[in-house]
Amino acid sequence: MKLAARVGQVTPSITLAIAAKAKAMKAEGIDVCSFSAGEPDFDTPEHIKAAAKKALDEGKTKYGPATGEPKLREAIARKLQKDNNLGFAAENVIVTNGGKHSLYNLMMALLNGGDEVIIPSPYWLSYPEMVILAGGTPIIVPTDASTGYKITPEQLRSSITPRTKLFVLNSPCNPTGVVYTPAEIKALGEVVVEKDILVVSDEIYEKIIYDDAQHLSIGAVSPEVFDRTIISSGFAKAYSMTGWRIGYLAAPVELVKAVSTIQGHSTSNVCTFAQFGAIAALEGSQDCVEQMRLAFAERRQIMLQRLNAIPGLSCAKPDGAFYLFVNISKSGLNSLEFCDKLLENKRVAAIPAIAFGADDHIRLSYATDMTSIEKGMDRLDKFVRSLV
Ligand code: PLP
């Protein structure tokens, strides 16, 4: 079959493939410790499920507006005001099938052939692929340990060309767990205004931060930055709602209308009764978010201690999300070889960071139970010692 050329320009998601392989091995009865999934292991909180069940029983089973349930758009606008100090109204918000869909639709609504999108690496693996699918050009700006895996204002400024349309900021970051400080966010915001580009701030991990880390949304820096800011987020990570597929985009009305047109001809509305669960998530008690955050914080501590005790591996303490970004450069293996052998020989699933533009690292998710963490770290320790 002769497929469209665009299919050949992108690579299938490595993270989804490895997570699927680990799940399949588990289904065969193989005792796999999986550190691959980017999803909390907790069930969705009861009150959220109850709200969706109630909506289902009340017959909220029909088509709704492509932009989302009005009550949910309002609840999201209120959340953005309250938590993030962003003055979006409901008409600035569109509900999407997850944060992934928000970003994809954004690229489709914004990019023309040759438009450049600045993406700091290590990056969430779908950003460059989405840009390519939309006909744009990803401009990857490498960062490393010397700047704490953060793009500097100078790097951003010098990467901007007359073709630059958008800068993708992800804090807390997947895969590094890095959280930009408010001062760093402000400095990046100044470049956005100075060079008059747009910024999309992917804030899906905003609630999962540790110790003294603070989340500042770049749109709150000044009215000038706000005018150039698009927020992408969703319910998957903070509320353990990965399978519900609900996210959102907040943006200038013109852009929301454009995304609505695209959505109206592709997916239409997000599952109607699921959106009522999302309303309950935002409007109900936030204790569940805090409980999960505390569990992640404890797991992070244990996993990091265990990891840094393994000779030849190293990892900085992440300030957010639920990943360890582990330097494997002393192993003599590239990230794919490392993860393949680790899964085959020791039945531990990890993600090769070549998927995120950093082949000398792997990503370990600690969104899993403590027993698996202890067992998996024992195995990883043995694996690394067997390499020397
Ligand atoms: N953005 C980042 C940085 C992510 O890690 C993910 C999921 O892994 C998403 C967006 C998309 O999340 P979802 O589509 O499940 O809402």
Side-chain angles (χ1 to χ4, degrees):
M1 195 189 303
K2 205 156 186 254
L3 297 173
R6 77 176 70 86
V7 181
Q9 290 163 1
V10 291
T11 24
S13 165
I14 297 182
T15 49
L16 291 185
I18 294 191
K21 187 169 172 187
K23 269 188 188 164
M25 285 171 78
K26 271 188 186 169
E28 278 174 41
I30 302 171
D31 170 28
V32 177
C33 293
S34 184
F35 299 143
S36 57
E39 66 178 338
D41 54 320
F42 304 106
D43 195 5
T44 303
E46 272 314 316
H47 67 285
I48 301 176
K49 293 199 292 187
K53 284 181 200 163
K54 182 165 173 277
L56 192 53
D57 288 342
E58 285 173 352
K60 304 269 181 6
T61 55
K62 305 292 184 194
Y63 289 136
T67 43
E69 286 298 319
K71 282 207 166 94
L72 179 54
R73 295 173 76 195
E74 282 161 22
I76 293 167
R78 271 197 299 278
K79 177 254 175 256
L80 290 170
Q81 180 70 64
K82 186 164 124 296
D83 293 358
N84 309 107
N85 201 18
L86 298 169
F88 288 114
E91 62 172 353
N92 295 107
V93 174
I94 180 161
V95 182
T96 60
N97 281 282
K100 193 177 259 185
H101 189 221
S102 301
L103 292 159
Y104 178 76
N105 280 351
L106 170 68
M107 302 305 171
M108 293 300 282
L110 210 55
L111 301 181
N112 283 312
D115 283 347
E116 294 178 355
V117 179
I118 295 177
I119 303 172
S121 87
Y123 46 75
W124 181 50
L125 77 174
S126 295
Y127 298 140
E129 310 292 356
M130 289 171 176
V131 171
I132 292 168
L133 282 171
T137 307
I139 303 296
I140 306 298
V141 180
T143 72
D144 58 29
S146 67
T147 62
Y149 294 100
K150 293 170 181 175
I151 187 171
T152 63
E154 296 73 35
Q155 274 182 307
L156 176 59
R157 191 178 285 109
S158 63
S159 311
I160 295 171
T161 74
R163 313 269 352 219
T164 305
K165 198 141 196 192
L166 183 68
F167 161 46
V168 181
L169 178 63
N170 176 215
S171 176
C173 173
N174 173 10
T176 59
V178 157
V179 179
Y180 286 69
T181 66
E184 288 162 345
I185 295 280
K186 280 182 196 142
L188 292 172
E190 280 163 20
V191 180
V192 166
V193 174
E194 174 195 319
K195 296 286 188 180
D196 195 17
I197 58 168
L198 294 169
V199 54
V200 59
S201 185
D202 179 350
E203 305 189 354
I204 197 150
Y205 294 98
E206 69 167 309
K207 299 287 180 196
I208 307 172
I209 55 176
Y210 312 107
D211 305 332
D212 301 331
Q214 279 179 49
H215 173 74
L216 174 69
S217 179
I218 193 165
V221 165
S222 70
E224 292 74 26
V225 183
F226 178 74
D227 290 344
R228 293 167 178 80
T229 298
I230 299 141
I231 304 290
S232 174
S233 194
F235 293 80
K237 316 289 178 179
Y239 298 99
S240 197
M241 291 171 68
T242 45
W244 291 59
R245 311 310 303 134
I246 311 182
Y248 56 88
L249 208 61
V253 169
E254 188 186 3
L255 191 53
V256 168
K257 283 192 177 148
V259 171
S260 164
T261 303
I262 290 171
Q263 206 150 286
H265 287 298
S266 49
T267 51
S268 296
N269 64 285
V270 173
C271 172
T272 303
F273 54 87
Q275 292 187 63
F276 287 86
I279 295 172
L282 287 181
E283 307 224 306
S285 163
Q286 301 301 298
D287 290 355
C288 53
V289 178
E290 180 60 4
Q291 278 160 14
M292 289 189 265
R293 191 192 70 82
L294 289 173
F296 291 139
E298 196 188 341
R299 295 163 181 190
R300 175 188 71 139
Q301 209 62 35
I302 302 288
M303 201 165 183
L304 193 67
Q305 251 168 26
R306 294 288 318 263
L307 189 114
N308 282 328
I310 302 176
L313 296 189
S314 60
C315 177
K317 197 174 192 178
D319 287 323
F322 37 61
Y323 307 106
L324 294 189
F325 192 59
V326 182
N327 188 321
I328 55 150
S329 56
K330 291 194 181 141
S331 69
L333 302 175
N334 67 33
S335 65
L336 264 177
E337 292 164 346
F338 190 100
C339 292
D340 269 350
K341 285 190 200 295
L342 183 62
L343 186 54
E344 286 302 318
N345 302 347
K346 294 281 183 249
R347 300 172 319 281
V348 173
I351 302 291
I354 190 168
F356 313 114
D359 202 14
D360 52 357
H361 283 71
I362 60 168
R363 190 195 75 181
L364 302 178
S365 163
Y366 50 87
T368 187
D369 62 280
M370 206 65 102
T371 314
S372 303
I373 290 177
E374 293 285 4
K375 191 157 64 169
M377 294 312 283
D378 286 344
R379 292 179 185 180
L380 178 63
D381 190 314
K382 286 202 184 88
F383 173 72
V384 174
R385 287 175 201 274
S386 76
L387 293 176
V388 283

